[in-house]
Structure formats: C-alpha cells, structure tokens
Amino acid sequence: MSTTETSTEAAKAPAVPPAPNRVKTIVRQLLGTPRVIIGLALLALLAVFAFTGPLMTGWEVGERDFTALLDEPSPEHWMGTNKTGQDVFTQATAGLQKSLLIGLLVALLSTGIAALVGAFAGYFGSITDRALMWIADLALVLPSFVILAILSKHFGDGGWFVLVILLAAFSWMVTSKMIRGMTISLREREYIHAARFMGVPSHKIILRHILPNMSSLLIADATIAVSTAIIGETSLSYFGFGVQPPDISLGVVIADGSKFANSSWWIFAFPTLLLVILVLAVNMIGDGLRDALDPQSKSRRS
Amino acid sequence: MGKFLVRRLLNYVVLIFLATSFAYLLAATNLYPRGYFEQMQPPPTPEAINTQLDTLNLNDQTPLAQRYVTWLGGVVQGDFGQTIQGREVTPQIWLKAGVTLRLITVATILGSALGIAIGAYAAVRQYRMFDKAATVASFVVLAIPTVVIALSVQVGATAINGVAGFQLFLFSGEYSAGFRGEWWELLLNRVHHAILPTFVLAVALFAAFARYQRNMMLDVLGSDFVRTAMAKGLTRRKALFKHALRTALIPTITYFTFTFGVMVSGATFTEKIYGWHGMGAWLIDAIFQQDVHVVAAASCFMAVTIMVASFLSDILYAWLDPRVRV
C-alpha cells in the first residue's frame, strides 16, 4: 500500500527526475504473466458466482424440496439435491460466499499480526525479540486443532467471525519469523540509521520504513494465507468443528456431500470442484505476485 | 554447544508442559463428561454419576484447580489418568502413537524425498516439459485439501476394486481383523492396508516440497558460486549436487519443521477416513465423547512431535550449513 503513495509522491515532486514508476512496471509485469490473469479472471468469476448464485435459483438457502430428495442434476436443480432436498447449487454458492470472506479476513488479520510481531521483534531485538518469538513458538506448539474443535460449540451467533479470529490467531507464526529475519537485516541500513538519528520514534520507523520495504513479501504471503485459511476451514468443517449452522461454508457443504460420494456423486463433486478452482485461482495469483514483486526472483525469468 | 542444547531442550519441555496444561484446562472447562453418563441407557442415578466422575477425577463439582493438581500429579509420574470408560490412558498412548508415527514417518520420507528430487530437477530443466508438468501437478494438488484427497482416493479405489473384481486396494483399518499367518504374511497385510493412506499423505507433502524446492533451487542456480564451481572444472553433475542442491536444501529444512504441524493434522483426517486407530482418530473420538484426559494426552503427543521435528531440523541445518556450527 505505502509503496503506492511514495511512488506517486516522487512523480509529483518537480525537483526529482522522473524515477521509473514502480507500480506501472509491476502492473505491466503482472499483466504479462498468464498465471495472474487466469487466476484473477477465475477469482472474479467465482466472486460473481458467490454473490449472485443464491439469487439466481428459485430456491432459498436451506430450503427443502421434499419432492426431490437426492435428485440428479436437472433443469430444476442445476447441481442436484442432497438427502434433505436442499438445492446443491444454492448451498454451494452460498457456502462459497462465506469461504471467500473467511479466507480474505483471515489472511488480512494473520498477515497484519505477523508483520507487526515480526517487525517489532526484529527491530528492537534483545528481550522484546525473545519474548515475542517465545510467544510465536508457544502458538506453534499449542494444539490449535483441539482449541478450535472444543471452542467451536460455543460460537453461537455470528460464530464464523470467531472462527476467523481463531484461525488467524494460529496462522501468523511462520510469516512473523520470516519478517523478523528480514527486519534484522534492514535495521542496519543507512536510511534507517538516518531516520533514527533524526529522532523519528521507533514505531514510526517500523511502520513507515521497515514494513513498506517488505510490502511485496507481505502481499504475496497474504495471498497464500487466503488459500491456507480456506483449506483449514474446510478440514475443520469436515468433522463439524468449523462454521456452525445456520451459517454455511463450502467446507460444510463438502462434508455433507462426502457421505454420499460413492452413491450420489453430484453432492460431493460440484462443491469440491468450486473449492479446488477457488484455491487454485488464489494460489496462481499469489505465485505470480511473488515472482513479479520479489526482485530476487527476477533471475528466474531470464 | 552442550549448554546451548540443554537450554533449548529445557525450553522445549516448558513449551510442551504449557501446551498440555492449556489443552487440559480448556477441555476440563468446556467438555461435559457428566453428559456422557447422563445419556446412558438406562440413566444412572445422580449419586452413581458423581461417584463415577469422582473416581475418574472428572467431576465438575470439584474445583478446577484441585482437579488440575490431581491430574498433574499423575502426569509427572507418567500417568495420564483414565479414559471416560475407565481404562488407563498411558499404555494406550504408546499404541496409538505407534500407529500415527508409522504413518507419518513413512509418508514424510517418501513425500519429501520425492518432492525435493522432482523440484530440484524441475529447476534444472526450467521451462521444459518436465518443469511444466511438475508445476501443474503440484499446483493442482496444493489446491485440494487433504480431506478431499483422502475421500477421492477412496472413491477411486472403490471403483477400481469394482472393475478388478477383488480387493486390489484396501481402505479400512490398519490390518485385516482376525488375519493369521506367518510374520511375513502379517507384514504384507499391513503394508497392503498402508498403501492408500500413506499415498494420500505423501502426495500432499510432495506438492508443497516440489514447489518450494524448485524456487530455492532456482535462486541458487543463478548464483556466482555455482558458476565458479563449474568454471574451476567440476562436472555439471558434481556442481549441481555438491554446491547447488546442498545450499538449496537449507531453507527447505526450515520449511520442513513448519509443514510437520500441518502433517500431524493431515494425518488426523487420513486416520479417521481410513479407519486407522491412531492418535488423530483417538482425539476426534475423545472430543465427541467428552473425554478430557484423552484430549490432554493427544495434545501432549502433538506438541512433542512438533518439538522433535523442530529439534531434528536444527540438527540437519547444522549439518548442512557449516556457518551455524561455529
């Protein structure tokens, strides 16, 4: 984000010779990568699908058609119905909506926590570093699966948001360690020293100079975190520990369908296909972004 | 070095202790063992339930602190209490841990070795057919949750068995119940059962490693020291193996520690779906049965495995990277 600001400022300032516009180069590079284009197109399609899909059919989310139990795909039910007569298309698209939201929110939260913890630990060093990294170690060892599974019963209303917070609370550790390592090497750069000697307070140095310098890594990592969160939610929901009814996510729909995977393939296959396309699209964007944003990886494309 | 190791181990013990205690306290406050007895048919009297809960140290009318101290007193002596059915937990831990560890170890070795080999080779052959095929394969696999892989493989195996007309692939249980024979027949039977679950876990791991190793290898391949190695007269093969691969393995080792946690939870799903009675399946059943002591024991096992993996990767790291050893 902040790199955008700095580069436009540089373009406005008259005294500075026109620097190569970083945003423009990156955008051009991204558009030249087929992976990113395909990924973005798929993601946009899925998002449209998720928000209009439940409205396109005549069926409400959770509504039961008692005349059609376990029906194959038909003009009436585009993806068939499940054992209670719910329309699989409506359920799957409504689930997709929540899965998208969960993925995006968890990625935002966990990358935010990771950036702050990592940068503070790396910048201050000594006791702060030890304490924060010890907390990260502890969070790695805590049985996150047990905690999520046990607490999932108490989610209650708006429970999916609690799930988002818990998922984020257990997925920041690895990134934060990486950011700490990068901060330690950035800390000794001249411009950081200059800022410090000018009397800029430490938290401002971290927010204004250190984190923007890692923005490429952060963005790429956040993208990967989206897919990790979606997969994590699916796995939890398989055992009934994820999103709780009346909320519905793709994981819940897949878990329902898994019991019929052998006999009524459509209940399992369609939602799974949506999930795989979603994660694939996100991963393609993330991978393309990392290649485009990471100056070290330039060598890879030569 | 010795002092460093001791401090490290001490830190690990503290972390494991905290994780296990946390799991116990969370389970003790949120699970409801009384409900397990109340729903029995015929329903026991409240007094009977209370005495039963008291002998198991699960009574929610006893203060939490007192229950915790009693439990901790047992754990310090290596006794993790009793399951909700009244059986000893500790001997079962070894049994279940054995099942899970067999599964994880074989799958980890297979998956990571295959992933590293394919990833490294794909980097050498960048943008050729092999690289493209490997990239597509790992991208697709990475997009599928382990649960879905396990289920799909099961569906596929059922179909193949139907076509073949006999049980070509087995996907329930760790061995055939009541199977008798020579030791090698027993072993064969176990291997036969292990093929599919191991395959599922290894495939998921392979994709992650192949992707990661390819990127690391590409970073190293362009660097000066590989060019120097070849310039001084080393064969391409030797330069790639001794200099490029070895250096590119270092970040992969670190990555291994982090994937191990994911692996343990991935094993949970695989065990549950393929009917293996390992740690993960035990944990899931325990949560449904309100079994506090089993939840704590399984959490302790998971914490220990993660710490062991982290310790192992430290050692591997030191072995591969001479700079760390100083």
Side-chain angles (χ1 to χ4, degrees):
Chain A
M1 299 300 139
S2 315
T3 44
T4 327
E5 282 164 27
T6 44
S7 47
T8 43
E9 274 166 24
K12 271 179 209 155
V16 182
N21 190 331
R22 184 148 175 259
V23 178
K24 236 184 208 166
T25 6
I26 285 176
V27 168
R28 197 175 307 139
Q29 209 166 36
L30 278 180
L31 291 181
T33 324
R35 252 175 312 175
V36 181
I37 304 290
I38 299 172
L40 279 174
L42 280 176
L43 197 65
L45 202 70
L46 283 174
V48 170
F49 212 45
F51 284 95
T52 60
L55 308 172
M56 282 195 309
T57 58
W59 306 99
E60 291 281 305
V61 177
E63 190 188 339
R64 286 161 191 199
D65 179 1
F66 292 106
T67 59
L69 304 180
L70 282 178
D71 256 15
E72 286 189 35
S74 62
E76 189 94 338
H77 298 285
W78 299 342
M79 288 182 182
T81 57
N82 64 14
K83 84 176 166 197
T84 51
Q86 290 166 329
D87 185 52
V88 174
F89 181 82
T90 317
Q91 300 286 99
T93 43
L96 184 64
Q97 200 175 323
K98 193 117 295 163
S99 287
L100 261 174
L101 273 178
I102 290 177
L104 290 176
L105 282 176
V106 170
L108 212 66
L109 271 176
S110 75
T111 312
I113 301 173
L116 287 180
V117 170
F120 272 85
Y123 185 79
F124 288 109
S126 69
I127 298 213
T128 323
D129 182 26
R130 280 222 196 132
L132 286 174
M133 283 305 109
W134 191 78
I135 292 174
D137 277 337
L138 183 63
L140 270 178
V141 183
L142 280 182
S144 53
F145 179 76
V146 175
I147 294 167
L148 280 160
I150 289 179
L151 290 181
S152 67
K153 289 180 206 150
H154 305 289
F155 284 174
D157 272 352
W160 68 275
F161 195 70
V162 184
L163 182 71
V164 164
I165 291 174
L166 283 175
L167 276 174
F170 288 110
S171 52
W172 54 272
M173 293 83 76
V174 178
T175 316
S176 85
K177 289 197 172 186
M178 226 153 61
I179 289 168
R180 168 180 170 269
M182 291 177 75
T183 310
I184 289 175
S185 68
L186 274 181
R187 190 175 59 182
E188 302 305 327
R189 295 280 173 85
E190 288 85 355
Y191 60 89
I192 304 282
H193 280 304
R196 197 182 306 150
F197 297 145
M198 278 161 64
V200 181
S202 307
H203 66 272
K204 272 198 179 150
I205 295 184
I206 289 175
L207 291 180
R208 245 193 240 158
H209 299 289
I210 290 187
L211 287 180
N213 259 297
M214 288 186 266
S215 55
S216 52
L217 174 96
L218 289 176
I219 293 170
D221 220 82
T223 322
I224 301 301
V226 173
S227 58
T228 316
I230 293 173
I231 287 191
E233 185 274 324
T234 313
S235 309
L236 278 170
S237 294
Y238 178 75
F239 293 117
F241 298 143
V243 171
Q244 303 291 318
D247 284 335
I248 186 166
S249 77
L250 218 42
V252 175
V253 182
I254 292 176
D256 280 347
S258 65
K259 288 151 205 140
F260 298 91
N262 270 324
S263 51
S264 316
W265 56 273
W266 56 90
I267 310 179
F268 177 64
F270 285 127
T272 308
L273 196 66
L274 279 183
L275 177 87
V276 171
I277 295 175
L278 171 63
V279 178
L280 199 61
V282 173
N283 278 349
M284 280 163 102
I285 299 171
D287 202 70
L289 271 175
R290 183 156 37 195
D291 274 8
L293 295 172
D294 181 5
Q296 276 185 337
S297 69
K298 286 286 148 55
S299 56
R300 286 180 205 160
R301 48 187 70 246
S302 56
Chain B
M1 188 72 188
K3 206 171 152 196
F4 169 77
L5 273 183
V6 168
R7 232 179 46 205
R8 188 124 223 191
L9 278 175
L10 206 68
N11 188 27
Y12 285 167
V13 171
V14 171
L15 283 173
I16 291 169
F17 168 74
L18 284 178
T20 314
S21 293
F22 188 80
Y24 175 82
L25 293 174
L26 191 77
T29 43
N30 283 291
L31 293 181
Y32 189 56
R34 189 178 292 275
Y36 175 81
F37 291 106
E38 277 170 355
Q39 55 157 6
M40 279 182 167
Q41 289 301 331
T45 59
E47 294 78 39
I49 293 180
N50 266 333
T51 39
Q52 187 68 23
L53 285 174
D54 276 334
T55 49
L56 295 174
N57 186 32
L58 288 174
N59 197 340
D60 46 1
Q61 285 159 5
T62 323
L64 180 64
Q66 195 184 330
R67 272 182 284 157
Y68 175 67
V69 169
T70 316
W71 171 80
L72 196 63
V75 170
V76 172
Q77 296 164 25
D79 175 16
F80 275 89
Q82 290 164 321
T83 68
I84 202 151
Q85 289 93 354
R87 291 162 68 190
E88 287 295 322
V89 170
T90 315
Q92 286 200 56
I93 292 181
W94 295 110
L95 234 87
K96 312 261 179 190
V99 173
T100 301
L101 285 178
R102 265 202 299 274
L103 187 66
I104 293 184
T105 318
V106 176
T108 309
I109 293 173
L110 275 180
S112 58
L114 203 69
I116 288 173
I118 289 181
Y121 188 67
V124 176
R125 314 274 304 170
Q126 195 185 11
Y127 296 145
R128 308 277 180 83
M129 268 316 283
F130 183 85
D131 180 31
K132 282 183 180 158
T135 304
V136 169
S138 49
F139 255 108
V140 170
V141 172
L142 276 180
I144 314 176
T146 315
V147 178
V148 175
I149 298 184
L151 285 168
S152 310
V153 167
Q154 209 170 34
V155 172
T158 320
I160 293 176
N161 282 347
V163 170
F166 66 101
Q167 295 279 304
L168 183 62
F169 291 115
L170 300 173
F171 45 77
S172 62
E174 194 202 338
Y175 50 85
S176 306
F179 186 84
R180 297 202 181 281
E182 296 289 319
W183 65 269
W184 61 269
E185 282 175 322
L186 287 172
L187 184 72
L188 214 64
N189 185 264
R190 275 175 184 264
V191 170
H192 193 178
H193 276 88
I195 290 174
L196 285 188
T198 312
F199 171 75
V200 167
L201 275 183
V203 158
L205 206 64
F206 143 78
F209 269 97
R211 198 75 211 128
Y212 198 77
Q213 183 66 31
R214 175 180 179 270
N215 286 347
M216 290 304 127
M217 193 76 178
L218 282 177
D219 282 347
V220 171
L221 279 181
S223 59
D224 294 336
F225 66 88
V226 175
R227 195 162 10 125
T228 312
M230 287 207 248
K232 79 174 181 189
L234 281 187
T235 56
R236 190 174 144 81
R237 174 189 297 266
K238 225 174 185 174
L240 287 182
F241 267 96
K242 270 198 98 171
H243 294 271
L245 185 62
R246 186 170 170 155
T247 318
L249 269 178
I250 295 170
T252 312
I253 296 293
T254 332
Y255 185 66
F256 167 76
T257 325
F258 299 130
T259 48
F260 202 78
V262 182
M263 185 79 177
V264 173
S265 68
T268 307
F269 307 119
T270 318
E271 279 172 17
K272 193 72 192 144
I273 291 168
Y274 286 92
W276 282 44
H277 298 288
M279 247 335 158
W282 201 31
L283 172 66
I284 305 254
D285 293 339
I287 292 173
F288 282 122
Q289 291 181 348
Q290 321 287 341
D291 201 334
V292 176
H293 293 153
V294 173
V295 169
S299 306
C300 178
F301 167 76
M302 286 179 178
V304 170
T305 41
I306 291 173
M307 290 286 96
V308 169
S310 139
F311 191 66
L312 270 181
S313 86
D314 280 350
I315 291 175
L316 276 174
Y317 204 115
W319 176 59
L320 283 168
D321 192 349
R323 284 168 299 184
V324 183
R325 266 177 271 167
V326 186

